[in-house]
Amino acid sequence: MTQEPLEIGVLGYRFMGKAHANALARLPMFFPDAPEIERHTLVGRDEAALADAAERFGFAHTATDWADALGQVDVFYNLGPNHVHAEPSIAALEAGVPVLCEKPLAPTLDEAEAMRDAAAAADVPAGTAFNYRFVPAIRYAKGLIEDGELGEIRQVRGRYLQDWLVDPEAPWAWRMDADMAGSGALGDLGAHTLDLADFLVGDAVGGVDRVSGHLQTFVDERPVYDDEGGVAEHRDVTVDDAYTAQVAYESGAMGSFEATRFAEGHKNDHAIEVHGSKGSLRFSLERLNELEVLREGDRGYQTVLVTDETDPYVDHWWPPGHVIGWEHTFVHENYEFLSAVAEGGAFEPSFEQGYAVQKTLDAIVRADERSEWVSVE
């Protein structure tokens, strides 16, 4: 480990900024072997809101220009909207500063490729923040698959269902603009599922060979509200509200994936199933301490509570049987990333793996446009 504390710079202080700041604050308490850090600079545009966030999150300094922060920090977290992922991340890597960037890697495949290339040329870790890889139950599931408990992997199914846009009067946001977001439910939610599938079964089934895709926008424009709650204007929605995709893997295995922001009654329903020749497993984020497993000879699924001290990461938290939550995945992610930075090691998911997801996202869009199966390459 390094002798001096790692000075952390973070771009973004809203949803993901708060999640990662919470993780950074928890590290010394629960992961005493983690590198020592200092929350140095928080970056944002609104000076008043930025100052308030920095005080609450424990950052010593603020900056309204990310370029000003790069020379002051040892590690850079890019947690801003998708359209500001590429330029700051590439600049940081070219300056020799390790980067953890939120998903998806970029709005476009070309930008993601440039980020991947910058990471390949840099001699520092560059990570894509797919936090669901760091759920203990997911790590346990990966171990079962690697140990051959499910036999030959034949099918994987994934869904990510939310309902925050069911109301047509829900306000417009940057996530609904193709220039800023790249895509809608596909990139925002589907990227998580595609990466999780690759993490679990990629070694067994190989890469994605070809895909089909269907993207749909249900509400074409949404209101922008003024400070008094009145409608100031309407803006076009230029991304998908929902997608479905079929995936053909190199091994001959099949995948089916979907995501939507229009599934009434589903708040954050991320689930994945894997079916093999000898067994199956299924996981739901809404019950993230559990894994359902069916082994050869079983007549039904068994629910495994993944909270034993021998389970991944669990020994850092509470006595066996005491559950953890969504926010703990970020603590695990930050622990692994910062340990890689301090030790000069590799971190996964890397920018290369983030780019691989981006290629699949791009292929799904092309498949929808052409109404036919397309190759990922």
Side-chain angles (χ1 to χ4, degrees):
M1 295 293 182
T2 57
Q3 298 299 312
E4 296 295 325
L6 294 170
E7 305 281 6
I8 309 297
V10 173
L11 168 62
Y13 55 85
R14 299 194 187 279
F15 182 25
M16 284 298 103
K18 185 182 294 185
H20 284 277
N22 175 69
L24 292 170
R26 301 283 79 76
L27 273 177
M29 184 183 301
F30 293 98
F31 287 77
D33 60 328
E36 186 178 351
I37 63 166
E38 290 184 7
R39 284 161 277 168
H40 189 276
T41 302
L42 189 64
V43 182
R45 292 181 299 175
D46 185 321
E47 290 188 7
L50 179 62
D52 176 68
E55 182 177 0
R56 288 185 291 112
F57 296 171
F59 282 80
H61 308 280
T62 62
T64 55
D65 187 337
W66 55 263
D68 294 336
L70 291 185
Q72 307 298 318
V73 301
D74 301 313
V75 185
F76 183 68
Y77 283 48
N78 192 335
L79 314 179
N82 302 349
H83 70 289
V84 296
H85 284 182
E87 185 181 5
S89 297
I90 292 171
L93 291 168
E94 289 177 344
V97 178
V99 175
L100 182 67
C101 183
E102 267 300 329
K103 43 54 61 183
L105 205 53
T108 69
L109 186 60
D110 287 344
E111 288 175 295
E113 183 177 17
M115 294 173 72
R116 179 206 62 181
D117 292 347
D123 191 27
V124 293
T128 310
F130 287 113
N131 63 298
Y132 296 131
R133 287 190 179 211
F134 301 93
V135 177
I138 289 295
R139 295 276 168 150
Y140 183 84
K142 182 174 176 64
L144 293 178
I145 294 168
E146 289 178 340
D147 291 343
E149 291 287 331
L150 272 58
E152 179 186 352
I153 303 304
R154 293 170 172 165
Q155 290 179 288
V156 57
R157 295 186 176 91
R159 71 167 191 265
Y160 207 145
L161 312 181
Q162 296 180 343
D163 68 358
W164 60 284
L165 288 182
V166 169
D167 182 357
E169 298 305 308
W172 185 94
W174 69 264
R175 295 180 187 275
M176 301 166 205
D177 183 276
D179 290 336
M180 288 190 279
S183 62
L186 174 63
D188 188 29
L189 306 178
H192 269 305
T193 316
L194 292 168
D195 178 73
L196 202 55
D198 182 68
F199 177 66
L200 289 173
V201 305
D203 290 340
V205 302
V208 176
D209 180 33
R210 57 195 176 94
V211 302
S212 67
H214 179 199
L215 279 66
Q216 186 68 43
T217 303
F218 300 117
V219 176
D220 293 327
E221 64 175 23
R222 288 190 175 273
V224 176
Y225 294 96
D226 59 29
D227 293 339
E228 286 73 42
V231 176
E233 62 174 318
H234 283 81
R235 293 184 185 173
D236 291 338
V237 175
T238 54
V239 300
D240 56 287
D241 288 323
Y243 92 96
T244 61
Q246 303 294 315
V247 170
Y249 290 103
E250 291 172 343
S251 70
M254 299 172 58
S256 59
F257 301 97
E258 64 172 320
T260 180
R261 298 161 171 173
F262 273 73
E264 183 71 275
H266 295 263
K267 300 304 178 186
N268 200 38
D269 183 5
H270 191 198
I272 194 162
E273 301 182 16
V274 180
H275 304 289
S277 59
K278 294 166 56 178
S280 299
L281 60 80
R282 56 193 183 197
F283 167 83
S284 171
L285 184 63
E286 293 183 342
R287 304 180 69 90
L288 65 77
N289 291 277
E290 299 177 1
L291 183 70
E292 293 185 90
V293 183
L294 184 145
R295 293 180 171 86
E296 190 172 27
D298 291 346
R299 297 186 64 182
Y301 282 88
Q302 295 181 349
T303 300
V304 180
L305 187 61
V306 189
T307 58
D308 283 355
E309 60 184 8
T310 57
D311 291 326
Y313 304 117
V314 174
D315 62 314
H316 289 273
W317 298 104
W318 318 117
H322 291 71
V323 297
I324 62 171
W326 176 84
E327 71 276 14
H328 296 82
T329 66
F330 292 89
V331 183
H332 304 157
E333 179 181 50
N334 276 262
Y335 170 71
E336 299 289 2
F337 176 68
L338 292 170
S339 295
V341 171
E343 296 167 359
F347 173 80
E348 292 188 352
S350 63
F351 270 26
E352 178 67 43
Q353 290 162 320
Y355 173 70
V357 171
Q358 200 85 33
K359 286 200 300 181
T360 305
L361 298 177
D362 180 75
I364 291 169
V365 172
R366 288 188 285 113
D368 174 67
E369 292 172 345
R370 301 177 188 179
S371 300
E372 63 183 16
W373 285 78
V374 303
S375 170
V376 172
E377 295 297 335

